[in-house]
Amino acid sequence: MKITTEQIQDFNKAGLGSHKENFDFLANKLTQNGHNVEAILSKLADFQIAIPSWALGAGGTRFGRFSFYGEPSSLEQKIEDIGLIHSLTQTAGAVSLHIPWDVPQDYNAVKELAQSLDIKFDAVNSNTFQDQKDSKYSYKYGSLSNIEKEVREQAIQHNIDVINIGNKLGSKALTVWLADGSCFPGQNNFQAALQNTQDSLKDIYKGLPEDWKMLIEYKPYEPNFYSTVIQDWGTSYMLANECGEKALSLVDLGHHLPNSNIEQIVSILMLKGKLGGFHFNDSKYGDDDLTAGSIKPYALFLIFNELVYGMANNPQNPDLAWMIDASHNVKDPLEDLIQSLEAIQEAFAKALLVDQAALKAAQLAHDVIKCQEILQGAYRTDVRPLLEKARLNRGGVISPINAFRSLDVRNGLIKERGRNSVATGL
Amino acid sequence: MKITTEQIQDFNKAGLGSHKENFDFLANKLTQNGHNVEAILSKLADFQIAIPSWALGAGGTRFGRFSFYGEPSSLEQKIEDIGLIHSLTQTAGAVSLHIPWDVPQDYNAVKELAQSLDIKFDAVNSNTFQDQKDSKYSYKYGSLSNIEKEVREQAIQHNIDVINIGNKLGSKALTVWLADGSCFPGQNNFQAALQNTQDSLKDIYKGLPEDWKMLIEYKPYEPNFYSTVIQDWGTSYMLANECGEKALSLVDLGHHLPNSNIEQIVSILMLKGKLGGFHFNDSKYGDDDLTAGSIKPYALFLIFNELVYGMANNPQNPDLAWMIDASHNVKDPLEDLIQSLEAIQEAFAKALLVDQAALKAAQLAHDVIKCQEILQGAYRTDVRPLLEKARLNRGGVISPINAFRSLDVRNGLIKERGRNSVATGL
Amino acid sequence: MKITTEQIQDFNKAGLGSHKENFDFLANKLTQNGHNVEAILSKLADFQIAIPSWALGAGGTRFGRFSFYGEPSSLEQKIEDIGLIHSLTQTAGAVSLHIPWDVPQDYNAVKELAQSLDIKFDAVNSNTFQDQKDSKYSYKYGSLSNIEKEVREQAIQHNIDVINIGNKLGSKALTVWLADGSCFPGQNNFQAALQNTQDSLKDIYKGLPEDWKMLIEYKPYEPNFYSTVIQDWGTSYMLANECGEKALSLVDLGHHLPNSNIEQIVSILMLKGKLGGFHFNDSKYGDDDLTAGSIKPYALFLIFNELVYGMANNPQNPDLAWMIDASHNVKDPLEDLIQSLEAIQEAFAKALLVDQAALKAAQLAHDVIKCQEILQGAYRTDVRPLLEKARLNRGGVISPINAFRSLDVRNGLIKERGRNSVATGL
Amino acid sequence: MKITTEQIQDFNKAGLGSHKENFDFLANKLTQNGHNVEAILSKLADFQIAIPSWALGAGGTRFGRFSFYGEPSSLEQKIEDIGLIHSLTQTAGAVSLHIPWDVPQDYNAVKELAQSLDIKFDAVNSNTFQDQKDSKYSYKYGSLSNIEKEVREQAIQHNIDVINIGNKLGSKALTVWLADGSCFPGQNNFQAALQNTQDSLKDIYKGLPEDWKMLIEYKPYEPNFYSTVIQDWGTSYMLANECGEKALSLVDLGHHLPNSNIEQIVSILMLKGKLGGFHFNDSKYGDDDLTAGSIKPYALFLIFNELVYGMANNPQNPDLAWMIDASHNVKDPLEDLIQSLEAIQEAFAKALLVDQAALKAAQLAHDVIKCQEILQGAYRTDVRPLLEKARLNRGGVISPINAFRSLDVRNGLIKERGRNSVATGL
């Protein structure tokens, strides 16, 4: 299934008048306040977020999973799904593959398909938290951190394999999420586990092509419930430093202890030139993997405020890899992704409205009231017309959710794939 | 110090044109979408939030306190401060007194002063968490829950005294925040502590005038760090039921364990007709007592969404007492309160924009995507023009913070009171 | 597989001398300090904890599951597994069935098997958090709380069915764990969800035999990540009160927000005569379902301190249902259960050593230091000899873990069942 | 007031028989199991914990403080208080001074007093979280991180002054607890705050004598409630690395987000040679500053398990500075400190009983059950006889709390100092 330019133009017709009115009013106000609206639109248009290949079907919990309909059952179908989202939103121009779930059968075909949909291959993800049917050693007691050399070597080799697969597709980064840890006090020697992990990461790093990055994720708990080897940004940062300059930390918003100040972590990592990428989602309790912006949109804005600041002021930090990492337990996965994309763009747009010069002046004057007024002034602005405009400029639709429904995309997919197709993933 | 009508009109002049443009544009859009803008403005105008008498000076922590300047040093000056805020914002038409910090010397004079400033006397607050110089028994090991009858009786009598003071001023409610609890396992018998508390509350309840309410606050910890007698809404609700229909639960936003779903608590208490009032503030870690809406504005909106729903659908629940309960450690207290008032009104206005009929329909259809679109559609709306209009309609200013600064209020207060005056309170 | 009396006696031989020395020394000390050792041993021997039928195989997370070997693949084999544990520990004399995973084929055969192993049928558990193959309606959007009547009725009928199954086996209680809730703000109307739940529970309650109890579990989150209908003890207690005196609250140790004071909840529920039962496990982060006592053994002791107090002083509270509810992700499930049983018995034994009269006297004297000395004095006592003696008195082994290994139980099971048998459950 | 050798011997008489019986029984068992009891006793005797000079009077919260009686009102009296504890426990042979609260008037006199009581001067603590009467600049908006150079310089100079004071007394370390941070989003530029802090710390480091260490504390929140500059171990570690090898991280047990795995942090810091010291206390909610071991004694044991491992296996890590940092809100401060000392020694003693070789073997075999058995086997041992023996060997008492009461120490202090003397501190 593919959405045509005609369908998009048709859909937009009805809303264009109202959009123009709203946009002009807002753009005028912003211009009066010294903002460069064109520059903002251009940044929004350039901001592309990768969709993970494992998040195109329904998600679940250890207590079960309620399937959705018309899920993609092959890598090609997954890419087609992203193509659908991208054609509507114009912000999902990349896919992040998970190996071994997404090993291409025909590399050229897959590349051509992606190219035809304007989709790039972002970071590739390895999986050493599950055992594969054909694997010799089990990861039950750890992979890169395992005390047994054979297990570590198998896990290292898997990461090298993943790099090679990604390399054939045009990816430029490997994301390592290491679930290793322990469920009970005493199970692991913390020091040995970290040392082994460091050595394993260094071995993988050696296999990294010159123009690649290695992104090291951290997480305090789950699936291990007593300790995790890379439990926080400090550990990830330490490991990235040990590996070398192509190794960077990756922040997943759900991977923090309660009440963490994530924006500060983001800011400090950028100061040190070590922030490599982002996994967007939202959460209330743990790694809930909810739609981005659905629970704490102001926190998302504050994070983008630091990102915008860092991208302008921290040349020492490389370009960032952006990805959604959410689970769709009760929503249509494609609609859910559209809501996440919208929320992320919204946070970015609002952060672009922060008057950095005025903020700095207020900070220098210890004018805390003013600092808050500046941030909240930007946040309170209704930026939806900007997002619409940015999408329209690139050939997308005014309202992606409405278009998705109006074009009856899900039923189209069900017709093509059947009601009970199931996507690989969690 | 007093702000005159002329000063207000003068201040408003410059901004009226821009305000009108923004308001008209928004009102037009809202009307097109089926909203009754006049009704919304009327609800906003009627929404009055009490200012606690103890929050007009700088706050502090156990590690110290950095004073502010020109703090009010008498009850009269505190009321004058609230008058200043109210004249600008038109939403702070009440004061909530803390006894013994605010016992009036001359009741008539105090009442007249308040009346002249359009300020009502909201709930009165008792203090049994500190020892007073002239008190016979110490509350070190508890007050209403103390195992010693004499101590409980002293605390009960204090609450009766507070009722009597409030009664002379026109208050209609007593708020009981009971700090009682224990710092170490074994220190308290949980059952005896609860039973004593229940008996004490019943005794206080007996002293409640017919048209009064008793609001029972709950809090999980601080100042006690192992257990608190009234640790959660369940305990507060249980006690309120035991006392009678004039006893109700009071929700302070900062008094919850990490990750609590407060809006659900609010909703259930209203269903049961037992929500009595609110203490607004915001927090990231514990009972941080920060400016309302400064950390989690979306959560505040979700709470107001339940309040708006309950006020429309739960006739079994009485009118609510609204109060700010924040601490001003690094901001000018009056400016801080203005920011809180603004954030509360904003959350209320946005909640009023939720299309309840559409939400119900989406819920019935299990259309989770749509439910979120509806809530976030209201939340994303920039309602500042509505707040401005509601203020203007009542004779307030377009922008209270700017007016406060433009009129140089703080320096006026310093001139009157001196730089080093200190307010009673925490 | 079955462990014979001879095997047990054989195993015990080697350790009896050392055990006797340790026990005599401890018993002598305790007797000197005024304890009645025989009474303590008798209480320990009578304390029987149900094993859940779903916890005899390896557990997992949403990220995967690593199988164990020789898991029971039928209800009969599950009961046999419990029989093995019980023959060693003499404290696991009950099974708690989960329907539909454990519907007996032949009731008489199952009952006879259980009786032959000295195993009773404790509370039965319903499952409305997953869809069954043959079910007409899906629970994706809730079961007992669903806004659709047909779904609620299906879920109610399932619970009635579960009661009937349990009744045939001799169970006397139904445990309702309701996973219902929502993943996003707006998805649910909190009030409707609670009302529906209340009505559904009342309907189930009507189907409860005269001598049965209904145990209502609560949990703040997971598998729903924004709200859960029965989110805390207050809600469970409220619902139990609405249903009637046979309805009671059930506490699962992992079902609380961070930092909750669980022992206080236990104490207050017993005061109100509404504590019905317990699910034991331990956790560091969320509902981690780790071995009881493996993370916070002192908290477990403090809970038992309240239970011992309540069982002695709260005749208004009925007898309690005790169950382990843990997940075995990295340990042999049977060994894991043995460790849990040991930790629970240990906490109980230590709580029995608390000098309640001295504690009360210290509380009355506000002697916080002494209160702590009393509790910690009991906690610091090494009670392992008491547990050994209680087991020996009933025909069990001195050291269950060592016996399990020495008798090579797991390999025996693998021989019987094969290496790759898989238990039903999560 | 001073406790004489005769008083101690007198007190011990009554308990010696029972002690000997218990010790001999335990020592015999331990020896049978391969432990070197003499070596354990020697390590316990050598383990000395500093008492902070600010924790000898009653503590309080922002809601108030309930005084205790006979508090020390001078530095000399504080040292005398520690002398009393030390004479009983023989484990409190050091004092940690807080400047400016404890600037000596007469250095020689203070040193002689301390020496006469066998008390050393441990790390000195600077205070830049409060304004002093004579200070030129305020720390309201930060000290070492302040954007104003003058403020930073004042704070740096204060730290240099503290070093100089400590140097005269024989201290060898400076502890920097930096409360700096922000209460609201936008108030601080995170990067500027960290850079300024780093520069300031480097300036202080330059003033450090050759044989000194600088211990950098971290804390997530309080007294700032949005962000703290040194918010976690990762930041502290980063700063320590920037400063040099004499700079190390200091862990305060209460300074972590909910559910943190502190023992892993401890282990990793020791692996990296960067753990400098410890502040002992316990907590249930935040930085509650309760008696060590009063809430989570098993966590304390797990931490000591890592410390014992690190002290044996990490020569790259320097000797550690041990200190209690608790607040005494409802207990006699001296009795409270005695309970903390006892709990710390207990955790240390139990950790010394862990069979490290067996643990390593079990880890290598992925025998998680066994790992837990080993740790809990050590933890379940009642080590009180070992602590008694270690104290007796050094001339202390069998039971410090009982001795403190039997010798009527508090009344003696009240007689000397009066009932209403108040200690400086929080």
Side-chain angles (χ1 to χ4, degrees), chain A residues 193-359:
Chain A
L194 185 69
Q195 285 287 36
N196 286 335
T197 300
Q198 182 172 306
D199 294 344
S200 298
L201 287 173
K202 281 182 171 175
D203 279 352
I204 298 168
Y205 189 87
K206 280 183 210 149
L208 215 57
E210 199 49 48
D211 57 348
W212 273 53
K213 295 174 201 158
M214 181 166 76
L215 309 178
I216 303 172
E217 214 165 333
Y218 59 89
K219 185 175 186 179
Y221 66 96
E222 198 211 20
N224 278 293
F225 295 111
Y226 168 63
S227 74
T228 300
V229 178
I230 311 181
Q231 69 166 334
D232 54 16
W233 77 267
T235 312
S236 164
Y237 173 74
M238 184 190 272
L239 291 167
N241 277 331
E242 295 284 346
C243 286
E245 64 175 22
K246 291 181 290 184
L248 301 153
S249 293
L250 183 140
V251 175
D252 180 300
L253 294 182
H255 293 191
H256 298 84
L257 290 174
N259 308 336
S260 292
N261 188 322
I262 301 174
E263 52 270 32
Q264 186 175 2
I265 294 171
V266 165
S267 169
I268 299 311
L269 282 171
M270 291 192 88
L271 173 67
K272 298 290 172 178
K274 277 294 187 190
L275 183 64
F278 245 86
H279 282 186
F280 293 110
N281 51 54
D282 211 338
S283 56
K284 189 167 173 63
Y285 304 101
D287 187 25
D288 306 338
D289 279 336
L290 302 178
T291 319
S294 64
I295 303 291
K296 299 174 196 152
Y298 191 53
L300 186 61
F301 161 77
L302 292 175
I303 289 164
F304 265 98
N305 184 43
E306 297 304 325
L307 290 169
V308 165
Y309 178 87
M311 291 189 284
N313 295 282
N314 299 137
Q316 67 273 32
N317 201 78
D319 285 349
L320 293 157
W322 311 105
M323 194 184 92
I324 290 173
D325 188 3
S327 201
H328 320 292
N329 300 4
V330 294
K331 290 174 174 173
D332 180 321
L334 298 184
E335 293 187 347
D336 199 348
L337 288 163
I338 290 172
Q339 287 190 320
S340 277
L341 290 165
E342 191 89 357
I344 294 165
Q345 288 276 2
E346 186 194 33
F348 183 35
K350 289 181 174 188
L352 290 170
L353 295 182
V354 172
D355 185 337
Q356 294 288 344
L359 181 60

Side-chain angles (χ1 to χ4, degrees), chain C residues 361-419:
Chain C
Q363 288 169 342
L364 288 170
H366 299 312
D367 188 345
V368 186
I369 289 282
K370 183 85 179 198
C371 293
Q372 180 170 320
E373 291 288 304
I374 291 167
L375 285 194
Q376 295 202 333
Y379 181 69
R380 283 166 172 159
T381 306
D382 187 341
V383 296
R384 287 175 291 183
L386 292 176
L387 272 56
E388 293 167 4
K389 182 69 172 177
R391 275 194 297 270
L392 286 172
N393 284 349
R394 282 186 59 123
V397 298
I398 296 178
S399 166
I401 287 285
N402 290 345
F404 185 90
R405 295 187 165 196
S406 167
L407 300 172
D408 211 13
V409 177
R410 180 55 62 188
N411 278 326
L413 293 172
I414 292 173
K415 264 181 219 152
E416 277 182 27
R417 301 170 183 173
R419 203 169 166 75

